[in-house]
Amino acid sequence: IVLPYYIVNQLFAGSSYYNVYYNHDGLFGIYALPDSESDEYITMKDSTLNNEELPIDLLINTFHSLAFVMDHFYGLKEIMSVDTYFDILYTNRNTMLNTNARQLDYNLANFLLKTIDEPHTSYGYPSYFNDPTWAGPEVNSLSAYGTRFNKWYMDGLVAVNDQLIDRWDEDEDMWFGPYTNRPNYWFINDETGVLALDGFVTSDMEETDTFDVSVVDEMMISQVNLLPAINEGSRFYYYNNSTDEDRLVEILVKGVTPTYIEDYQLALTNFGFTHVIEETTSQSKKNGYYQLDIPADLENDARSYMVQISYDETYDFLYVGIMDKLPVSYRSTWPFSINISNLLDSDSAMYMEFMLQEMLEEKPGMINIILDVSANTGGNVGALYRVVGFITDQPFAVSGIDRDTGGASTYHVQITGTPSYAHLNWGLLTTPMTFSAANSLATIFKENALGPIIGVRSGGGACSITPILLPNGTAFTMSSNNINAYRTGSGTDEDPYVYVNNEFGIVPDYPIAIDQIYDGATLLQIFE
């Protein structure tokens, strides 16, 4: 069987986010849509066809391929009451069949952003027939988008930002942080708290119950042990924050006494580290760093490592960071700095664990908690499921519709190894900004009766996204055939299952006006 390359890539690679980009001169494996500053992007956009017009046959192939993709891989086709996107494209054939590469990309962007017009579909980057330095059509202004996107932006992002500024007395020009006054959590009274969660993210991270130096060595790509044992601690979190050029591992150790940092400083020097410290006015450099030099051997060149350690009194854990790079000088910028907040924010489950710990330490009598996803536009589904694991210790249902087959299914997810706060009375605060994975959280709350949904109807976004590569080299992302939904009914003949997609959001159990979403008295009434 002989298949066109484009179809093979779409069927067997595209849905896994790993695509093969063709630029006339070669095939390039890429993950998702590479950043325009990345080596992958620069390499694949360099083609002998740069600055050339599109051949007629390739242009027609691109036209038909776009219609094919929209008809068979776009999850919202039936939801948007479209019979075939070929008809829509055909009415615009005079603009979509343009051999000028730049003009075609303008027309493609206009089709995606104004005709399709939903926040999960976005323009990626232009064809390889363009000048490789051209970034593509300007898509950073609202005028580039359609009615639905503009409404979501104004009713969601703008309205919520205004309320955050008013509630926390922030600078009027603030645009989603970094906020000066808004806390991660706050209390309405001694029994009721509100915890903000503004995204679903995961880190390249491992966890162990006891210190395992092999985890560090594997992340650092080292054949020798690089750190002495950490002999205290009940839980160890290893963050792999390495780049292509440098290796960096940061460790948070839970359950360590404040005085243990002195013991570990001694362990580092006994292990062979040198403590490098100079007088400085910089608060972040006042404790210096530890340097380990490993001589060359038959397989490796000589190499040096930098270690920084600290004890965090807010969360009562030890921090250890190690990098295969040293500062040029003590006064110069160091290769990495200690930033505990950034580490916690980089993984939603870690953030939830330590914020909930702090909330109950501050208010031991807390029995009600509202998870605030009013400013959450989504993110990683795995992170979403781990967050739900704090809310319930029971398996929870997740439902979906497969547009490929027209089938629908419900499966159950069980999260283990996560501290349970199922004994608390949970609520969920939503707004039109609550989109994608955050909208899925509202859907899970609804289907599993995890607690009341409070606020304004969520912003929707039913589908996961999928990257698309067109034959001319233009790339974009769109809603895939994987449609999130909730299930109603009991499954009997009298009360059959019905699957309802959540593309246009979840209606709250307790609607409140947007200008009251952070009003403590209004929120408290829900639990009373």
Side-chain angles (χ1 to χ4, degrees):
I1 298 175
V2 179
L3 292 174
Y5 140 76
Y6 168 78
I7 298 298
V8 173
N9 177 71
Q10 189 60 50
L11 289 176
F12 301 110
S15 61
S16 69
Y17 277 61
Y18 187 85
N19 282 278
V20 182
Y21 190 88
Y22 177 66
N23 74 350
H24 179 74
D25 297 333
L27 297 165
F28 302 87
I30 59 173
Y31 180 76
L33 301 187
D35 184 81
S36 61
E37 303 298 321
S38 67
D39 291 341
E40 294 91 334
Y41 183 87
I42 294 170
T43 300
M44 72 187 195
K45 281 310 181 78
D46 184 13
S47 168
T48 54
L49 294 182
N50 290 155
N51 300 306
E52 297 287 339
E53 286 202 339
L54 285 114
I56 294 296
D57 58 347
L58 181 61
L59 182 60
I60 294 173
N61 185 21
T62 298
F63 179 90
H64 283 280
S65 295
L66 178 58
F68 175 80
V69 164
M70 299 304 301
D71 276 354
H72 296 284
F73 294 93
Y74 184 56
L76 303 181
K77 177 171 173 276
E78 282 75 25
I79 293 173
M80 298 302 182
S81 301
V82 174
D83 181 43
T84 173
Y85 279 99
F86 182 87
D87 291 343
I88 295 174
L89 288 167
Y90 191 74
T91 61
N92 295 294
R93 61 191 180 279
N94 291 334
T95 58
M96 301 304 290
L97 293 173
N98 193 313
T99 58
N100 182 287
R102 180 170 293 205
Q103 189 57 53
L104 177 60
D105 269 292
Y106 276 111
N107 297 337
L108 286 168
N110 190 67
F111 169 76
L112 295 168
L113 304 183
K114 289 189 175 180
T115 302
I116 302 302
D117 186 23
E118 51 96 3
H120 263 157
T121 295
S122 60
Y123 177 86
Y125 49 74
S127 162
Y128 57 85
F129 282 84
N130 288 286
D131 187 312
T133 62
W134 184 55
E138 175 59 52
V139 295
N140 293 325
S141 66
L142 289 177
S143 61
Y145 294 83
T147 303
R148 183 185 175 192
F149 184 94
N150 272 267
K151 181 174 174 55
W152 172 74
Y153 187 92
M154 298 303 297
D155 293 350
L157 277 70
V158 173
V160 171
N161 187 64
D162 288 346
Q163 294 306 313
L164 288 171
I165 290 171
D166 289 345
R167 175 62 178 85
W168 302 110
D169 194 25
E170 298 284 358
D171 188 310
E172 290 186 0
D173 295 327
M174 184 68 70
W175 183 250
F176 289 106
Y179 291 113
T180 303
N181 303 322
R182 183 200 183 199
N184 290 328
Y185 60 84
W186 54 285
F187 295 96
I188 300 174
N189 58 26
D190 289 344
E191 294 185 342
T192 306
V194 180
L195 172 59
L197 180 65
D198 292 344
F200 292 103
V201 291
T202 59
S203 292
D204 183 357
M205 182 182 70
E206 291 190 34
E207 303 177 26
T208 62
D209 291 327
T210 58
F211 179 66
D212 186 347
V213 71
S214 67
V215 175
V216 179
D217 296 336
E218 182 177 354
M219 290 180 175
M220 294 295 295
I221 314 180
S222 173
Q223 302 302 315
V224 298
N225 292 346
L226 296 175
L227 288 175
I230 301 175
N231 296 320
E232 279 195 19
S234 58
R235 194 68 177 162
F236 296 77
Y237 307 89
Y238 312 81
Y239 292 81
N240 186 357
N241 289 324
S242 304
T243 66
D244 289 341
E245 293 79 26
D246 305 303
R247 310 305 300 174
L248 170 62
V249 176
E250 297 179 272
I251 310 168
L252 298 181
V253 187
K254 192 176 181 180
V256 176
T257 57
T259 56
Y260 181 70
I261 189 172
E262 298 172 4
D263 296 339
Y264 200 67
Q265 287 171 337
L266 180 60
L268 285 170
T269 55
N270 289 339
F271 193 80
F273 282 88
T274 301
H275 190 196
V276 181
I277 188 167
E278 297 179 10
E279 288 189 10
T280 179
T281 58
S282 171
Q283 189 69 15
S284 63
K285 298 179 180 180
K286 67 175 184 176
N287 295 322
Y289 64 90
Y290 291 80
Q291 178 176 336
L292 179 66
D293 298 311
I294 298 180
D297 55 31
L298 293 176
E299 296 182 358
N300 301 288
D301 295 331
R303 51 212 185 276
S304 296
Y305 297 88
M306 175 188 188
V307 166
Q308 295 186 70
I309 61 174
S310 178
Y311 186 84
D312 187 276
E313 296 181 353
T314 302
Y315 303 106
D316 298 322
F317 54 58
L318 176 72
Y319 168 92
V320 179
I322 180 169
M323 190 174 190
D324 60 351
K325 195 172 186 178
L326 298 175
V328 175
S329 70
Y330 202 89
R331 291 173 176 76
S332 66
T333 301
W334 285 9
F336 75 99
S337 59
I338 301 173
N339 194 319
I340 304 295
S341 295
N342 281 356
L343 285 181
L344 295 182
D345 289 345
S346 71
D347 189 272
S348 298
M350 286 290 290
Y351 172 84
M352 291 285 291
E353 180 174 341
F354 283 98
M355 291 305 116
L356 287 166
Q357 172 186 303
E358 287 298 299
M359 291 180 77
L360 282 171
E361 286 180 2
E362 191 171 336
K363 299 288 185 183
M366 184 177 72
I367 58 175
N368 307 315
I369 182 168
I370 298 172
L371 185 60
D372 174 11
V373 291
S374 61
N376 189 320
T377 57
N380 183 279
V381 174
L384 159 65
Y385 292 165
R386 291 171 69 199
V387 166
V388 179
F390 290 90
I391 300 168
T392 178
D393 53 9
Q394 299 300 308
F396 56 91
V398 179
S399 296
I401 301 167
D402 183 353
R403 189 186 154 260
D404 265 336
T405 63
S409 61
T410 298
Y411 59 90
H412 289 78
V413 178
Q414 174 77 66
I415 301 297
T416 60
T418 296
S420 174
Y421 292 87
H423 63 284
L424 298 175
N425 300 316
W426 286 85
L428 189 71
L429 184 64
T430 65
T431 70
M433 190 176 170
T434 306
F435 184 72
S436 192
N439 184 56
S440 295
L441 178 59
T443 308
I444 290 171
F445 255 75
K446 180 181 180 70
E447 183 163 7
N448 295 273
L450 297 181
I453 301 172
I454 309 158
V456 188
R457 184 174 188 149
S458 59
C463 304
S464 59
I465 61 173
T466 186
I468 302 294
L469 305 183
L470 294 176
N472 72 320
T474 297
F476 64 95
T477 57
M478 69 177 189
S479 292
S480 72
N481 283 331
N482 178 26
I483 307 171
N484 193 228
Y486 60 89
R487 187 178 72 179
T488 63
S490 60
T492 64
D493 291 339
E494 296 76 20
D495 186 27
Y497 289 136
V498 176
Y499 286 82
V500 183
N501 73 76
N502 62 7
E503 173 60 23
F504 300 105
I506 299 296
V507 176
D509 302 305
Y510 295 91
I512 56 178
I514 191 74
D515 59 358
Q516 293 182 306
I517 56 172
Y518 302 126
D519 179 69
T522 301
L523 295 174
L524 191 59
Q525 289 178 5
I526 307 303
F527 289 105
E528 292 178 342

